[in-house]
Amino acid sequence: MGVICVGTVMNVCWRAVFLLGKRSILPKYLYPDQKKTNEYPTYLLIGLTNLCTTLCKFCYRRDLDLRPAFFPVERYESLMDELGPHLDILEFSGIGEPLLHKDFRRFVLYTRRKFGPGKLTLRLVSNGSLLGEQMRRFLVHQSFGQVWFSVNAATIETYSKIMPHLDFDGLCKSVYELVALRNILGLRVPHVHLSFVVTRDNYFEAEKFVDLAFEMGADSISIRPLDKELNPRIFWEQQPPKEEFDPILERIEDRTRQDKRVWCAPRWGFFPKAYQETRDKSTAISCGNAENTFGVYFTSGEVTFCCYMAAEIENEINCLGNIYDSSALEIWNGPRAQAFRRSMKDIRAAPDICLRCSNFWNKEWVCPSNG
């Protein structure tokens, strides 16, 4: 299976995915100091559906055979009852569009009744296609800490090519009005982040995107490459021409030094070369995800520490357990999770997926969950 990185389609990923590059571009109150412990997770990432409102040209869902599925309300509530008291951050992302779930509001209201804004930071990763007026008000009134939108273009033409069937002007208007509503109410959140994943089809609009994002009212933006490890085929198909993108990247990098709201992935992330030298000097892998992140990317219930593991979930070592078979804490403290953590202490025994993870070998990259 494959998975989508936070900010693109799963995008996840990322992360992710994640999630965001340098913590300095976000206010400190968005990232509570997470307790470094193996006793329980402090970061829950949950995928509410495997459906999406579009199929991005670089989306890893293209290689997946997915049946329509939605996360059940009952399991969500029991998961929050079990993990909620320990959590610092709850993120709705996964491999689909979270706002497609008809019970999205119910999930949030249940969470907020039990854990107020001061106890738990809520985060949403979305393409923004369902960000109507009622949803904008809901996100603001429920004190979402951060809302991350995948934009990936600066013009209607490019947007339509990369994210077909979506409304570019509608997204721009929705983001602008979300920020305006927050500001009118005199609130600090949600912090609005816009993501641009560089591909062969949009690299020439990267600079224009930076200006457009701030015209829309974004609090921060990121310029990011595709991740080779999530899907090598799509990665190589969508690489921008180096000789043309290099000068664009240089100018964006200059801007990141002047404006902390702009984050750009390190240069090698766009044109990767062997990072064997860094690996050879390492004796162990230090992974914040293994210490704090409980990832349920799929509605089928498999649990991982990160999107890299989710991308290769068919490999048994990457699946820590299933929430429909065991409790969350049984999985978190179970034999698979503990064995995975132990293997990271010796570079010679580390899981292959960790050895290929760019987050660890590139010391310039600091993920919120790792930082």
Side-chain angles (χ1 to χ4, degrees):
M1 296 182 75
V3 70
I4 303 151
C5 203
V6 181
T8 59
V9 180
M10 171 166 139
N11 179 350
V12 309
C13 329
W14 51 292
R15 26 145 70 167
V17 41
F18 271 157
L19 294 166
L20 195 56
K22 294 186 177 178
R23 189 184 289 195
S24 61
I25 75 172
L26 291 179
K28 182 175 176 56
Y29 59 81
L30 291 178
Y31 284 106
D33 293 329
Q34 291 179 257
K35 299 170 281 293
K36 297 294 184 180
T37 175
N38 285 344
E39 297 178 8
Y40 44 78
T42 56
Y43 192 130
L44 172 61
L45 185 152
I46 188 166
L48 298 183
T49 180
N50 57 21
L51 296 178
C52 193
T53 53
T54 186
L55 185 58
C56 297
K57 191 171 181 179
F58 54 84
C59 175
Y60 307 106
R61 297 177 78 255
R62 291 178 175 274
D63 291 346
L64 300 180
D65 182 19
L66 298 171
R67 292 179 298 175
F70 295 90
F71 203 90
V73 173
E74 297 76 13
R75 188 62 186 100
Y76 174 84
E77 292 179 351
S78 63
L79 192 63
M80 287 306 301
D81 290 344
E82 183 181 9
L83 295 183
H86 308 298
L87 295 178
D88 294 323
I89 300 174
L90 168 62
E91 176 179 320
F92 298 104
S93 57
I95 64 170
E97 171 53 55
L99 297 184
L100 271 174
H101 201 301
K102 65 181 180 64
D103 290 311
F104 175 77
R105 287 180 174 83
R106 178 174 173 177
F107 291 147
V108 175
L109 291 173
Y110 182 84
T111 303
R112 275 296 180 237
R113 280 196 298 269
K114 296 179 71 71
F115 312 102
K119 295 182 179 180
L120 179 62
T121 296
L122 298 182
R123 183 178 299 154
L124 171 68
V125 178
S126 168
N127 61 34
S129 59
L130 301 177
L131 192 67
E133 180 179 359
Q134 290 187 347
M135 182 55 66
R136 294 195 297 269
R137 291 185 177 279
F138 181 78
L139 296 177
V140 171
H141 291 155
Q142 295 305 316
S143 300
F144 267 73
Q146 184 187 16
V147 183
W148 179 313
F149 296 114
S150 303
V151 181
N152 309 313
T155 64
I156 295 177
E157 293 74 21
T158 300
Y159 187 77
S160 299
K161 186 175 183 179
I162 294 177
M163 305 176 74
H165 313 302
L166 299 188
D167 181 0
F168 180 70
D169 286 340
L171 172 64
C172 294
K173 179 181 177 182
S174 293
V175 172
Y176 179 86
E177 293 185 351
L178 173 64
V179 176
L181 175 62
R182 178 200 67 188
N183 293 343
I184 288 173
L185 295 175
L187 303 175
R188 298 191 300 176
V189 294
H191 179 104
V192 176
H193 180 87
L194 303 186
S195 172
F196 185 100
V197 178
V198 178
T199 72
R200 182 174 295 275
D201 295 316
N202 67 2
Y203 71 92
F204 45 86
E205 291 189 355
E207 288 180 282
K208 187 175 181 180
F209 165 77
V210 176
D211 295 326
L212 176 65
F214 291 134
E215 289 177 10
M216 293 161 61
D219 299 298
S220 63
I221 65 171
S222 57
I223 309 291
R224 311 174 52 229
L226 285 165
D227 198 307
K228 182 170 73 70
E229 299 308 328
L230 295 179
N231 191 303
R233 179 187 64 80
I234 293 177
F235 174 84
W236 291 115
E237 287 178 358
Q238 289 295 319
Q239 278 295 288
K242 184 179 186 304
E243 65 282 359
E244 296 180 23
F245 185 55
D246 244 344
I248 297 175
L249 186 57
E250 288 179 4
R251 292 192 293 270
I252 294 176
E253 288 174 336
D254 286 340
R255 185 157 183 177
T256 65
R257 287 186 280 270
Q258 302 170 18
D259 192 337
K260 293 299 183 182
R261 298 173 300 170
V262 181
W263 181 79
C264 182
R267 176 170 294 274
W268 73 266
F270 290 98
F271 308 110
K273 297 180 180 179
Y275 35 73
Q276 191 68 44
E277 181 179 345
T278 304
R279 292 172 55 168
D280 289 344
K281 296 178 180 178
S282 302
T283 58
I285 294 176
S286 175
C287 175
N289 288 66
E291 297 175 338
N292 59 40
T293 302
F294 193 91
V296 189
Y297 289 85
F298 305 105
T299 56
S300 48
E302 294 88 351
V303 176
T304 70
F305 290 134
C306 67
C307 62
Y308 282 84
M309 294 171 67
E312 299 182 14
I313 197 67
E314 70 279 358
N315 186 339
E316 188 176 79
I317 192 176
N318 294 327
C319 181
L320 306 178
N322 192 298
I323 59 170
Y324 300 117
D325 300 328
S326 308
S327 73
L329 291 181
E330 286 175 341
I331 295 173
W332 184 255
N333 296 306
R336 289 190 179 184
Q338 297 296 359
F340 200 97
R341 294 186 186 105
R342 286 195 302 270
S343 68
M344 301 173 74
K345 295 180 179 179
D346 186 344
I347 200 72
R348 296 168 297 181
D352 178 67
I353 196 70
C354 297
L355 295 176
R356 293 184 278 118
C357 176
S358 59
N359 293 352
F360 304 130
W361 305 121
N362 178 12
K363 303 308 179 184
E364 295 181 43
W365 175 290
V366 180
C367 282
S369 54
N370 290 348

